[in-house]
């Protein structure tokens, strides 16, 4: 956009704050100052806050009941106009607050001009953002619960399906696919807890704090807080208008959640490669190639994997805006909304996509089992057997097991394929029972400690998780 001679443009004073000014802002100033392009997102919350404010003003005899009724009727009509797309937004009016108030004046006249009594756009926008984010947190929690439900269903289906467990992306120990998925159930449970903590801490009302110092009108901030579903009004007016830590806390929690989603997305990408073949996704969550007709790309997972880049960036963006601001309000804080909106939208679509992929995913037991034939995943079970059955100190057992692993590597076979006599050349005390220990199914079934990979224990934890995360809601 070209702004050539804007500095010399003569414009009329702003309809919002023009009493102090003889001329209006340049087009460039208007462009950088206006926020209506994005803060119209919370028009419902702005209208709800205004209705609560008008109700309180009337109950405190600050405005008449007839003015209050006219205001609420007009605001209800405006909400309908915006929701149906017939409302005309104006950048000259800067923000959602003044767009709504100006239209209210057009509809009901003088009573509309009484609405802004005992409040400022400073406390108004802080209230709107808290209300909007509170509603969004409810939706995000429901989405995460649906994701947990999908994971629990898959974990139950594949509670007995053996696969390698990895450390350093190297074969470590045999586990089940259901056990692996249950790890994410717990991770997303903690994400829900963080979002719930955020919702609890932010559920205080800034409304009535006015510009920064409160007001001399006999308002009742407890009433407006109650009408809007807040637990209480914020205790310090300056803090109420200048704090954005609730938004920062949300984006921090969103960043952690997005990171968890990204880790699962990465595993889906790896598992679905032809090198692994552990899972497959249908056409619903894959795409093809414009040049290679054989390709099936896990693009949904790859896009989820990328989302933390945006969400963490949103967090850093707002932290950077807030970090050096003196109290109370600065126009810099107008930059709070776009990062919050973007983080919420990015997290929502990532959760929805992941839920869809988990529901769509098919696990393939044979490739998982074949992968267990490499890397000697039962070596730890052999060492544990030497300790528990033969009373060999663990460090010695570790050494003996390493020798047996080296023998298997030399012969090009798995540990369980070694003959007992050749194993006894390394450790004479070994008996025939070691062959049962080395069976992969037995190695998995033996890990019955709380939270272990034994199918029986996995099913116990699935039942607990359903009660804790789903049935208790």
């Amino acid at each position: 956009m070209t702004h050539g001679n804007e500095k010399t443009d003569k414009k009329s004073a702003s309809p919002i704050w023009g009493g102090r000014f003889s001329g209006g802002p340049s087009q460039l100033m208007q462009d950088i100052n206006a926020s209506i392009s994005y803060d119209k997102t919370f028009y419902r919350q702005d209208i709800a806050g205004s209705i609560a404010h008008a109700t309180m003003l009337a109950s405190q005899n600050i405005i008449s009941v007839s003015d209050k009724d006219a205001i609420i009727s007009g605001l209800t009509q405006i909400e309908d106009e915006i929701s149906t797309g017939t409302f005309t937004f104006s950048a000259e009016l800067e923000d959602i607050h003044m767009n709504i108030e100006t239209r209210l004046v057009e509809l009901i006249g003088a009573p509309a001009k009484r609405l802004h009594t005992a409040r400022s756009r400073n406390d108004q926008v802080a209230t709107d953002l808290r209300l909007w984010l509170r509603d969004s947190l409810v939706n995000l929690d429901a989405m995460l619960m649906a994701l947990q439900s999908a994971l629990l269903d898959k974990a139950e289906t594949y509670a007995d399906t053996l696969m390698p467990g990895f450390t350093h992306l190297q074969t470590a120990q045999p586990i089940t696919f259901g056990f692996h998925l249950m790890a994410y159930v717990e991770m997303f449970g903690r994400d829900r807890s963080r979002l719930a903590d955020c919702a609890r801490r932010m559920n205080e009302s800034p409304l009535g704090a006015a510009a920064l110092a409160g007001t001399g009108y006999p308002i009742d901030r407890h009433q407006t807080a109650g009408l809007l579903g807040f637990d209480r009004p914020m205790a310090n007016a300056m803090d109420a208008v200048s704090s954005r830590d609730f938004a920062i806390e949300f984006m921090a929690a969103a960043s952690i959640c997005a990171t968890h989603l990204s880790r699962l997305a990465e595993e889906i990408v790896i598992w679905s490669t032809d090198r692994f073949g552990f899972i497959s996704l249908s056409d619903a969550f894959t795409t093809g190639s414009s040049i290679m007709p054989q390709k099936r790309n896990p693009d949904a997972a790859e896009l989820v994997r990328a989302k933390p880049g945006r969400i963490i960036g949103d967090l850093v963006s707002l932290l950077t805006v807030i970090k050096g601001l003196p109290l109370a309000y600065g126009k810099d804080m107008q930059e709070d909304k776009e990062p919050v909106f973007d983080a919420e939208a990015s997290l929502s679509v990532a959760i929805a996509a992941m839920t869809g992929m988990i529901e769509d995913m098919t696990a393939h037991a044979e490739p998982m089992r074949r992968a267990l034939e490499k890397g000697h995943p039962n070596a730890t079970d052999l060492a544990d057997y030497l300790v528990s059955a033969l009373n060999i100190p663990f460090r010695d057992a570790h050494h003996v097991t390493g020798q047996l692993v080296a023998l298997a590597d030399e012969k090009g076979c798995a540990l369980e394929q070694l003959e007992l006599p050749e194993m006894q050349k390394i450790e004479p005390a070994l008996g025939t029972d070691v062959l049962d220990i080395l069976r992969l199914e037995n190695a998995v079934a033996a890990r019955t400690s709380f939270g272990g990979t034994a199918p029986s224990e996995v099913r116990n934890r699935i039942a607990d998780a359903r009660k804790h995360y789903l049935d208790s809601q």
Side-chain angles (χ1 to χ4, degrees):
M1 183 180 293
T2 300
H3 298 282
N5 298 318
E6 315 259 27
K7 287 197 297 184
T8 60
D9 287 353
K10 295 294 185 182
K11 305 185 73 171
S12 60
S14 168
I16 305 169
W17 36 259
R20 169 67 176 81
F21 293 79
S22 59
S26 70
Q27 183 62 48
L28 179 56
M29 179 61 197
Q30 184 172 293
D31 290 344
I32 194 172
N33 193 47
S35 60
I36 187 59
S37 63
Y38 49 85
D39 67 18
K40 63 185 178 184
T41 299
F42 49 49
Y43 73 91
R44 293 187 189 278
Q45 290 76 20
D46 192 76
I47 289 172
S50 291
I51 290 174
H53 186 65
T55 300
M56 180 274 296
L57 290 176
S59 69
Q60 294 297 106
N61 296 315
I62 299 171
I63 65 173
S64 69
V65 172
S66 61
D67 282 350
K68 180 261 293 184
D69 291 342
I71 288 169
I72 292 175
S73 176
L75 289 172
T76 302
Q77 179 177 334
I78 292 169
E79 182 172 8
D80 183 67
E81 289 176 359
I82 297 176
S83 64
T84 57
T86 60
F87 187 93
T88 300
F89 292 101
S90 168
E92 289 188 4
L93 296 173
E94 295 185 9
D95 54 37
I96 187 62
H97 322 300
M98 294 311 304
N99 270 266
I100 288 175
E101 185 174 318
T102 301
R103 175 59 176 153
L104 189 63
V105 172
E106 293 175 358
L107 291 174
I108 67 171
K113 297 180 181 181
R114 302 186 186 279
L115 174 59
H116 207 53
T117 305
R119 76 174 183 186
S120 162
R121 284 189 292 175
N122 293 358
D123 61 334
Q124 192 176 357
V125 69
T127 302
D128 291 355
L129 187 55
R130 283 176 184 261
L131 288 172
W132 182 89
L133 188 50
R134 189 180 70 187
D135 292 342
S136 297
L137 289 172
V138 172
N139 294 333
L140 287 168
D141 182 74
M143 294 179 72
L144 283 170
M145 184 168 67
L147 175 54
Q148 287 180 299
S149 180
L151 285 163
L152 285 164
D153 289 344
K154 288 294 181 182
E156 197 154 30
T157 299
Y158 298 114
D160 296 285
T161 303
L162 300 187
M163 70 173 291
F166 299 98
T167 62
H168 309 279
L169 208 56
Q170 306 291 319
T171 299
Q173 292 179 278
I175 61 171
T176 72
F177 191 51
F179 172 75
H180 194 126
L181 294 178
M182 285 298 293
Y184 287 102
V185 172
E186 297 302 322
M187 291 160 75
F188 294 128
R190 292 192 295 276
D191 290 324
R192 291 179 63 191
S193 178
R194 273 182 283 270
L195 293 175
D197 285 345
C198 176
R200 175 178 56 80
R201 260 186 294 278
M202 68 176 286
N203 202 35
E204 297 182 339
S205 175
L207 193 57
L212 78 160
T215 177
Y217 291 98
I219 63 173
D220 185 347
R221 292 189 62 209
H222 288 84
Q223 182 184 2
T224 50
L227 289 171
L228 293 170
F230 288 112
D231 294 330
R232 62 191 69 82
M234 294 184 73
N236 182 278
M238 184 174 285
D239 178 51
V241 300
S242 59
S243 294
R244 291 298 184 269
D245 54 336
F246 68 93
I248 292 168
E249 183 177 7
F250 159 67
M251 287 190 288
S255 296
I256 296 171
C257 182
T259 301
H260 290 159
L261 289 165
S262 182
R263 295 185 74 180
L264 179 51
E266 167 68 359
E267 298 207 288
I268 289 173
V269 171
I270 291 172
W271 290 339
S272 64
T273 62
D274 54 7
R275 298 295 184 270
F276 276 70
F278 287 3
I279 66 158
S280 58
L281 298 170
S282 75
D283 294 353
F285 291 94
T286 56
T287 64
S289 165
S290 63
I291 189 173
M292 295 169 285
Q294 83 281 10
K295 294 294 295 297
R296 180 187 292 275
N297 301 322
D299 282 5
E302 291 171 356
L303 289 166
V304 171
R305 187 174 60 184
K307 286 300 180 184
R310 289 186 63 149
I311 297 172
I312 294 169
D314 292 328
L315 170 62
V316 173
S317 173
L318 186 53
L319 281 169
T320 305
V321 168
I322 297 297
K323 71 172 184 63
L325 289 185
L327 299 182
Y329 185 85
K331 194 68 172 181
D332 319 50
M333 295 173 74
Q334 185 167 291
E335 296 293 322
D336 62 350
K337 287 169 279 297
E338 287 184 291
V340 172
F341 294 159
D342 183 71
E344 188 273 343
S346 296
L347 185 60
S348 293
V349 73
I351 296 170
M354 183 57 72
T355 303
M357 283 187 286
I358 295 299
E359 292 172 341
D360 181 77
M361 180 175 65
T362 300
H364 304 299
E366 283 305 311
M368 290 183 181
R369 180 57 188 252
R370 286 197 301 271
L372 279 169
E373 295 172 1
K374 301 175 182 179
H376 310 297
N378 47 3
T380 303
D381 299 273
L382 176 57
D384 289 341
Y385 163 80
L386 294 173
V387 172
S388 59
L390 303 182
N391 199 30
I392 297 175
F394 181 80
R395 282 301 165 204
D396 293 339
H398 188 284
H399 182 74
V400 170
T401 301
Q403 290 179 300
L404 291 169
V405 166
L407 176 61
D409 285 341
E410 182 182 330
K411 294 175 64 67
C413 68
L415 268 175
E416 62 270 26
Q417 295 173 326
L418 290 173
E419 299 291 338
L420 182 58
E422 56 190 351
M423 296 175 71
Q424 289 172 330
K425 290 180 182 178
I426 293 174
E427 177 47 66
L430 287 171
T432 56
D433 54 346
V434 73
L435 301 179
D436 287 332
I437 295 296
L438 290 174
R439 289 188 64 240
L440 294 171
E441 288 80 3
N442 292 343
V444 169
R447 300 197 175 276
T448 56
S449 60
F450 186 90
T453 191
S456 60
E457 179 60 17
V458 171
R459 290 191 173 90
N460 287 337
R461 300 288 69 75
I462 290 172
D464 284 352
R466 288 191 187 281
K467 291 178 184 177
H468 180 64
Y469 293 122
L470 308 184
D471 296 345
S472 63
Q473 303 303 309

